[in-house]
Amino acid sequence: MTSIPTTCAYCGVGCGIRATVTGERQVRIEGDPDHPANRGRLCSKGTHLGETVGLEGRLLHPMIGKRRATWERALDLVARRFRDTIARHGPDSVAFYVSGQLLTEDYYVANKLMKGFIGSANIDTNSRLCMSSAVAGHIRAFGEDVVPATYGDIDAADLIVLVGSNTAWCHPIVYQRIRARCDAGARLVVIDPRRTETADEADLHLALRPGSDVALMNGLLAWCRDAGVLDRAFLADHVSVPDDFWGRIEAGSDVWSVARTCDVPVADLRRFYEMFAATKRTVTLFSQGVNQSLAGTDQVNAILNVHLATGRIGKPGAQPFSITGQPNAMGGREVGGLASTLAAHMDFAEDNRARVQRFWASPTIAARPGLKAVDLFRSIGEGRIKALWVMATNPAVSMPDAGRVREALAACPFVVVSDVMADTDTGAFAHVRLPAAAWGEKDGTVTNSDRTISRQRAIFPLPGEAKPDWRIVTDVARRMGWKTAFSYDRPADIWREHVRLSTYQNDGARLFTLAGRGGGGNADYEAMTPFRWGGTPFADGRFPTPDGRARLAPVRQRPLAAPLKDWPLTLNTGRYRDHWHTMTRTGLAPKLARHRDEPLVEIHPDDAARLGIADGGLARVSTPQGDSLYRARLTDAQRPGELFVPIHWTDRTSSGGRTGLLPRPLADPISGQPGFKATPAAIAAVATIWRGFLIVAGEPRHRPESLWTTRVAVPAGSLWELAGDGDPSRIDACLPTGERIEAIDRARGTRRIAVLADGRLAAALFLTERGELPARDWLIAQLSEAQAAPTILAGRAPGAGADRGPIVCACFDIGLNTIVAAIRDRRLMNVAAIGAAIGAGTNCGSCRPALTRLLTQETTHAA
Ligand SMILES: Nc1nc2c(c(=O)[nH]1)N[C@H]1C(S)=C(S)[C@@H](COP(=O)(O)OP(=O)(O)OC[C@H]3O[C@@H](n4cnc5c(=O)[nH]c(N)nc54)[C@H](O)[C@@H]3O)O[C@H]1N2
Ligand SMILES: Nc1nc2c(c(=O)[nH]1)N[C@H]1C(S)=C(S)[C@@H](COP(=O)(O)OP(=O)(O)OC[C@H]3O[C@@H](n4cnc5c(=O)[nH]c(N)nc54)[C@H](O)[C@@H]3O)O[C@H]1N2
Ligand code: SF4
Ligand SMILES: [Mo]
């Protein structure tokens, strides 16, 4: 068996994987020791990729409406409807909404079709929701969207600052690299309103008021100037400083004012400023806490200003570092797949348009930027866009004000969705659904956060009638009449064209170039090993602006709105460690489902007490846009007045947790990126009469409908958490047929029903009004036993058996209670000792921050 080198399906860290096919749709996943991004390591999501490659839930044939169709008919229909709409209403009446989860080759052809052949720039991407403030900030400061840093800079840094980034959960392998550097003496500062697991391990955590990052960074810049650590020579030779710059920065930037604006202790603020001023080798990594704000671009520039003015850029260990979310967020930026860019890091300037049109030999070229995501969906709702093609993204869930987005999709005369899954919230609105090849079936390239381009390779044959995205787009383009321009036979053909465009009439004005990477034939493409483009940008102090100088941006902190009477809280949204976005893939992996198996609203205990919200109870979060239910978790990791909810739950998996309904459809005026991290909101407790759960082999006969219903995959079946106020016996109808054993205790309002089929557990339903509920794990394990235990209705093994608690270590299935018991009984003092004793944390390492927290908790507890 030979292993195939490929790249992880998930985050922008871009880890290399070695995949060994071990059977029919079965694969062994190992970290690639030769890949520069991860050197053999993988986090929990990458490690468990093999659990997500089954064909369960896949879309395997084109569908027109609810009917299966041939590719011929589906492609003809898509091409005809787009052509007719353009003929009648002009090129701007159609749009593509694409994704950082497409491969570069897919992205390239979609962009070429829309901008060069349809002649509109109405192609935007979920990167608008993700990276566009960083893109706009880079262009404003550097003249081009170039990330100067590499992961190697982390290894060389003495101070690492994380702004608005829960790196331990969202970029776990970068985080392990940061930890390794900290073990070697570097210090870590985390700037995040929440005390995340990332913040838990930091030398300093600044739990700033949401949206106050500009004040914090301007304060730092003013401090550096006063401390005499500005790099005067660098500023004089390489940076343009607007006339009124220092005056604008300094107003309100003394530590006392900043501490007040940011609501952080002055002493902590000073400590951070002193550390930064004293440490030349500082890397500042930032992600969505910075980008996803109505002032996102200013926040990015506030960070870039500090690095430019102190000369901490383009040098080993001294860099600003925007880390990307999706596996190919960077590749999408390189092909120019945002509505606001044209192609290959060129904008819509006349000479660029002419150049790209010449290169593509295209009949037309978009004259101006197209609609950005929020405006795009608004335009669809207003009937101005009449045909939409969505590829590899789930906007009915992930757009802000998703309720309006759904209305727009429902009203749109023609919606095409290319997805790998049959049943998604967005697919429900599609007139045509096209089956795309998934990770493990597709071939192409991706670019990670540090500009490293790697191959993704097919390890399985295409299932059913699925086709790669580039092929689907090409087939439609040819049917629309552009046969020669889209005459690709393989991703390598597209790659070579992409390489040529990057070098086409590029005298060095554009740093993005893949010169020398398109030679050789298909064999070279097949054999491509990871490489980084761009060398060490800015090392020579030259920037890709007309005068070669970087630019400081005079950004000011915008006034922070006082709490509104009806919406007094601030709603923050983000990610969980083991879930990926709308869970269409990670939702298939039982090992990933249990770290957090329900959508929680995290709330400070003082707020909860005031509002009568109990830990573990249900609560309704509402905003002017919509409302949704969550299970409440009380935690002082939240600042008072603020709530945090996850983005992962959808109609497919839950009656609650519909976070997309809540944020405002407002965006940063420069980048168009929505402000997902701060929405005025309210919360109220929701009473239920009973609660419980259903564990079933496979799926229930139909979905158990109750006020609170959430589903996760478990080995051999599914687990449904339930709570409601109606008659609980309704739920019985979901149970499979078989031999029933029941215990009904009316005094406690408890119903326990087990269904056996040939002695095996087929389902277990446990509901109660006042009583206790058993831990789920033992019952879940019973699904995999040939013979159900006689104590099934007790919910635990004969002779007890301790509840291992919620899963902390996803690799070895180790629960919180097991870990705490081990720490106590065996007096374990550190993460390594826990690993040696029970194995937790020794594989992917994603749970190490959680283990550290448990150790601290236990030592404080013991003291
Ligand atoms: N496990 C997992 N990993 C992922 C993903 C996933 O779905 N699951 N998705 C990937 C993608 S596409 C992305 S974009 C990245 C995102 O990665 P991150 O940006 O790390 O993730 P988020 O949880 O969205 O938000 C980061 C933090 O910003 C903080 N924040 C909120 N408001 C503010 C503020 O005003 N100032 C500051 N300084 N911080 C603030 C939040 O409290 C949160 O902890 O993760 C990638 N990796
Ligand atoms: N409130 C709030 N909302 C947010 C965010 C937030 O922090 N808060 N974060 C935003 C960010 S940063 C992001 S990146 C978005 C992510 O949001 P989405 O992009 O909507 O999330 P995914 O679930 O990754 O959607 C990808 C879809 O593509 C499908 N797919 C997977 N692989 C392929 C493929 O190869 N081809 C095709 N055609 N389809 C494929 C999957 O099945 C899935 O349906 O959410 C954004 N929305
Ligand atoms: S850090 Fe995890 S999710 Fe991200 S690329 Fe690496 S293995 Fe995949
Ligand atoms: Mo993202």
Side-chain angles (χ1 to χ4, degrees), residues 130 288 325-326 575:
C130 181
Q288 299 317 342
Q326 299 174 90
R575 293 160 169 79

Side-chain angles (χ1 to χ4, degrees), residues 101 126 392-394 398 418-419 442 469 573 575 581-582 584:
Q101 294 172 72
N126 61 4
T393 175
N394 201 349
S398 55
S418 300
D419 205 288
K442 52 187 193 175
D469 289 288
T573 63
R575 293 160 169 79
H581 296 173
T582 70
T584 59

Side-chain angles (χ1 to χ4, degrees), residues 364 481 648 839 847:
T364 170
H648 307 292
C847 65

Side-chain angles (χ1 to χ4, degrees), residues 598-602 616-619 629-633 708 721-723:
E598 292 182 290
L600 306 174
V601 53
E602 292 172 67
L618 298 186
L629 274 185
Y630 296 85
R631 192 173 300 282
R633 173 171 294 178
W708 181 254
E721 291 289 338
L722 307 167

Side-chain angles (χ1 to χ4, degrees), residues 27 86 105 139 156 258 367 489 577 621 779 792:
V27 63
I86 295 162
E105 291 75 3
I139 293 175
V258 174
D489 290 324
R577 189 189 81 189
V621 176
L779 281 164
I792 203 89

Side-chain angles (χ1 to χ4, degrees), residues 84 368 389 519:
D84 291 353
R368 66 193 100 76
W389 188 352

